[in-house]
């Protein structure tokens, strides 16, 4: 039990919030398969619902404040990218959520605690728990701590690189670009992905990042740059 308490304390430190109500933290880390969950209401599912909305509000506010000249469409694309499960899973991996999840022995043995969908859900649940424990200003601080560095450079990129590459390929009658994972390095809580962008008839281009989504965008940017597509626009 002492080891569990130490692990949770380390998670709180990486998250950036020490819970007053520890039961909220425990619930946010409890998968529905855990024997102590009892009912779905005791798992992280309800907190996940709340955290998803809180995250959307905090990220929208952050984007709105930091990019006063960006049009609504660009803000919406950035928001969708920043709150998607893959991004939440990358944040969860960076703070070691997987090792703290409470779930059934069979589910843990199967590797469920490392699945992006589960990590993304748990990340949202943690944000919902922070909101209930300390309010919106505190959860906003937590979101800024982990999402600020993930904001796109909207001063130079008018279109998401993957969207730009897809539109560029379409105008040339080429099939939709595909992406393939080439390599994964680093520990489970802080992986680095290397991904190749594949367009029929062209040499692949590679990119890397802390999530597959970021690596795919980097690979798309590399291909656009190589093909001389100025500013990421088709």
């Amino acid at each position: 039990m002492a080891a569990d308490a130490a692990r949770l304390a380390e998670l709180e430190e990486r998250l950036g919030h020490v819970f007053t109500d520890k039961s909220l933290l425990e619930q946010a880390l409890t998968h529905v398969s855990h024997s102590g969950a009892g009912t779905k209401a005791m798992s992280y599912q309800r907190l996940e619902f709340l955290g998803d909305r809180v995250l959307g509000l905090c990220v929208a506010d952050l984007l709105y404040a930091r990019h006063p000249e960006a049009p609504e469409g660009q803000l919406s694309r950035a928001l969708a990218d920043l709150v998607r499960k893959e991004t939440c899973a990358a944040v969860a991996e960076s703070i070691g959520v997987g090792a703290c999840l409470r779930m059934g022995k069979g589910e843990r043995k199967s590797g469920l605690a490392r699945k992006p969908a589960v990590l993304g859900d748990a990340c949202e649940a943690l944000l919902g728990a922070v909101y209930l424990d300390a309010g919106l200003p505190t959860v906003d601080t937590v979101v800024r701590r982990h999402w600020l560095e993930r904001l796109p450079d909207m001063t130079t990129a008018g279109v998401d690189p993957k969207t730009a590459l897809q539109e560029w390929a379409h105008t040339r009658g080429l099939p939709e670009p595909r992406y393939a994972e080439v390599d994964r390095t680093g520990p489970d809580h802080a992986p680095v992905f290397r991904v190749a962008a594949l367009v029929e008839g062209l040499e692949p281009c590679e990119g890397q990042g802390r999530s597959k989504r970021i690596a795919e965008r980097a690979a798309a940017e590399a291909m656009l740059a190589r093909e001389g597509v100025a500013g990421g626009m088709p």
Side-chain angles (χ1 to χ4, degrees), residues 112-131:
L112 187 65
R114 298 190 299 272
K115 297 293 185 181
V118 172
L119 288 172
D121 289 347
C123 180
E124 292 173 344
L126 276 172
L127 295 177
V130 173
Y131 173 75

Side-chain angles (χ1 to χ4, degrees), residues 184-208:
R184 171 176 172 161
T185 58
D188 287 341
H189 70 275
V192 176
F193 295 90
R194 187 153 57 92
V195 169
L198 308 172
V199 175
E200 185 177 299
L202 300 177
E203 289 294 320
C205 278
E206 295 184 358
Q208 69 177 33

